Amino acid sequence: MKKNYLLTPGPTPVPAQVLEALAKPMIHHRTPGFQAILKEAVEGLKYVFQTKSDVYIFSSSGTGAMEAAVVNLLSPGDTAITVEGGKFGERWTEICHAYGIKAEVIKVEWGKAVKSEEILAKVKAAKAKAVFTTLCETSTGVTTDIKAIAQSLKNTDAVLAVDAISGLGVLDLKTDDWGVDVVVSGSQKGLMLPPGLGFISVSEKAWKLINASKSPRYYFDLRVAKAAWEKTDTPYTTSVSLVVALNEALKMMKAEGLENIINYSLKLADGIRAAAKALGLKLYADELCASDAITAICAPAGIDGEKLVKTMRDTYGVTIAGGQAELKGKVFRIATMGYINEFDIILGLSCLEKVLSQMGYKFELGAGVKAAQEVFLR
């Protein structure tokens, strides 16, 4: 009997406590009982977002929260800076174009991170009202230096919006301390939930743009969400069971401690990186900006990365992620976010070694697992 193991960058495994919360009887969303749960969940989100600002919840994927950021901050004809260093950076540009917003694109070589000075120069030249960038570019395994970018924009009028969908609760993101204006995320990655919830935090600086925006908006109108939240409510029917489960997941994270979670993700990622090197495999991302949320590894010469991923999943029940767009078949990716521990990583690496060997790649069997174990024993 085949067991299934999930090591993908979303959806991620869901803990038993969260599954139990999902199975609780349905309650009505316009009741004091649900309002108490909602209030507690938002306070938990503030803890993970590291912000004192309110965090708004949408019944959508993280992309819905990205769209909310664009449509609320800007008006048709406005100029924004978008950073494209992978598939998900490109999404900011696509959303801007959908709403008639001029996107001044900074193209970044895949596997590398944007420089803060490049963003600042572009903001000044284009007189941009907003910058849209990505904390963790999931397609390449790169983490962006958000702190440096926020610092560089501190004395400008531009608002900084960050896609932290795959990075929140995994990588450090001090929203308030660093001066990040808008952070968006989703439920199915570091927060250990099924897909279906999007989140967005908004600074006072950002609210000035929101109140001036002329873009058409209805479901994602943050002004409406803010008015509803003043009554501890949501403007429309929310995903009740997911919010109940969110509250449970956030309690688990708070009990563990955000700093401990971030450090553990680093340890897991270090283990994978050590394993890859021990197997003679090349890491795709520049090590100066390699993400601790997901590691992209180049498929060795003569090995089809797509076939590798498919075999691990369909034959052995271990699901990792393949490459996207121009990296399809060229890399495979292993996540270290959410409800994943070192023994999950050891199992995944063991399966990886087995399939690589079956596909004809020559290496010392067990070398990767041994290297990871040595990291985990430190």
Side-chain angles (χ1 to χ4, degrees):
M1 295 174 63
K2 184 175 69 176
K3 291 185 178 181
N4 292 311
Y5 299 89
L6 198 57
L7 296 173
T8 61
T12 58
V14 180
Q17 300 97 306
V18 178
L19 291 172
E20 289 169 5
L22 283 167
K24 288 183 178 179
M26 182 58 61
I27 59 175
H28 196 267
H29 62 296
R30 306 295 189 199
T31 59
F34 181 71
Q35 286 179 317
I37 294 169
L38 184 63
K39 184 176 181 179
E40 189 175 11
V42 170
E43 288 303 312
L45 286 170
K46 288 182 181 181
Y47 169 73
V48 177
F49 274 73
Q50 300 187 67
T51 184
K52 293 180 180 177
S53 299
D54 288 327
V55 181
Y56 302 98
I57 301 173
F58 295 114
S59 293
S60 74
S61 66
T63 302
M66 292 175 72
E67 183 163 336
V70 172
V71 76
N72 280 277
L73 289 172
L74 301 172
S75 304
D78 283 346
T79 299
I81 307 301
T82 58
V83 179
E84 294 185 1
K87 284 296 294 179
F88 296 97
E90 292 171 0
R91 191 163 297 181
W92 280 126
T93 305
E94 293 163 0
I95 297 171
C96 284
H97 288 164
Y99 285 94
I101 293 156
K102 183 181 178 183
E104 290 285 344
V105 179
I106 296 177
K107 292 277 189 180
V108 182
E109 182 183 347
W110 283 32
K112 298 186 182 298
V114 68
K115 303 294 184 184
S116 60
E117 53 267 27
E118 189 175 359
I119 290 179
L120 179 60
K122 198 85 166 178
V123 165
K124 289 181 176 178
K127 297 180 180 178
K129 288 187 175 182
V131 173
F132 297 103
T133 190
T134 310
L135 173 60
C136 171
E137 178 49 70
T138 322
S139 63
T140 62
V142 166
T143 291
T144 303
D145 189 348
I146 299 300
K147 182 179 181 180
I149 294 170
Q151 184 63 36
S152 71
L153 298 175
K154 186 176 181 180
N155 296 319
T156 73
D157 292 329
V159 163
L160 174 60
V162 175
D163 164 9
I165 294 170
S166 63
L168 187 73
V170 187
L171 309 172
D172 200 16
L173 177 59
K174 292 181 170 60
T175 301
D176 288 356
D177 288 352
W178 294 353
V180 182
D181 298 296
V182 174
V183 175
V184 302
S185 196
S187 57
Q188 76 278 16
K189 297 180 185 275
L191 298 186
M192 309 180 294
L193 292 164
L197 294 179
F199 313 106
I200 184 169
S201 68
V202 187
S203 73
E204 286 301 317
K205 182 180 178 181
W207 273 110
K208 294 176 183 178
L209 282 185
I210 291 168
N211 290 326
S213 170
K214 300 295 190 295
S215 287
R217 46 194 152 152
Y218 185 83
Y219 183 77
F220 291 124
D221 193 332
L222 285 171
R223 299 166 300 181
V224 177
K226 183 178 182 181
W229 184 242
E230 289 172 357
K231 301 175 184 178
T232 318
D233 210 345
T234 58
Y236 314 109
T237 303
T238 192
S239 304
V240 174
S241 295
L242 281 174
V243 172
V244 171
L246 168 67
N247 199 25
E248 186 63 35
L250 291 168
K251 287 178 183 177
M252 292 176 64
M253 294 181 74
K254 203 163 187 179
E256 184 70 21
L258 187 57
E259 185 177 355
N260 291 332
I261 294 170
I262 291 167
N263 289 336
Y264 192 63
S265 298
L266 167 61
K267 187 176 185 179
L268 295 181
D270 277 345
I272 293 173
R273 290 188 280 258
K277 292 175 182 178
L279 294 173
L281 301 174
K282 181 183 176 183
L283 300 172
Y284 181 75
D286 186 327
E287 290 199 56
L288 293 174
C289 56
S291 180
D292 298 331
I294 183 167
T295 301
I297 302 170
C298 298
I303 301 295
D304 181 349
E306 287 298 296
K307 183 179 179 181
L308 169 70
V309 171
K310 186 176 185 296
T311 303
M312 288 180 64
R313 181 192 65 221
D314 296 346
T315 303
Y316 300 109
V318 177
T319 306
I320 60 173
Q324 296 175 290
E326 64 189 62
L327 296 182
K328 193 175 182 67
K330 298 177 182 178
V331 304
F332 54 91
R333 299 171 295 141
I334 304 174
T336 43
M337 61 180 73
Y339 190 54
I340 293 173
N341 66 25
E342 62 188 58
F343 298 107
D344 296 318
I345 299 302
I346 292 298
L347 183 143
L349 291 172
S350 178
C351 183
L352 172 65
E353 288 194 22
K354 182 172 185 176
V355 176
L356 281 173
S357 180
Q358 289 173 340
M359 294 178 74
Y361 179 62
K362 302 299 181 184
F363 62 96
E364 182 185 345
L365 197 62
V369 170
K370 181 176 183 288
Q373 284 282 35
E374 287 173 350
V375 171
F376 298 156
L377 284 168
R378 290 175 191 166

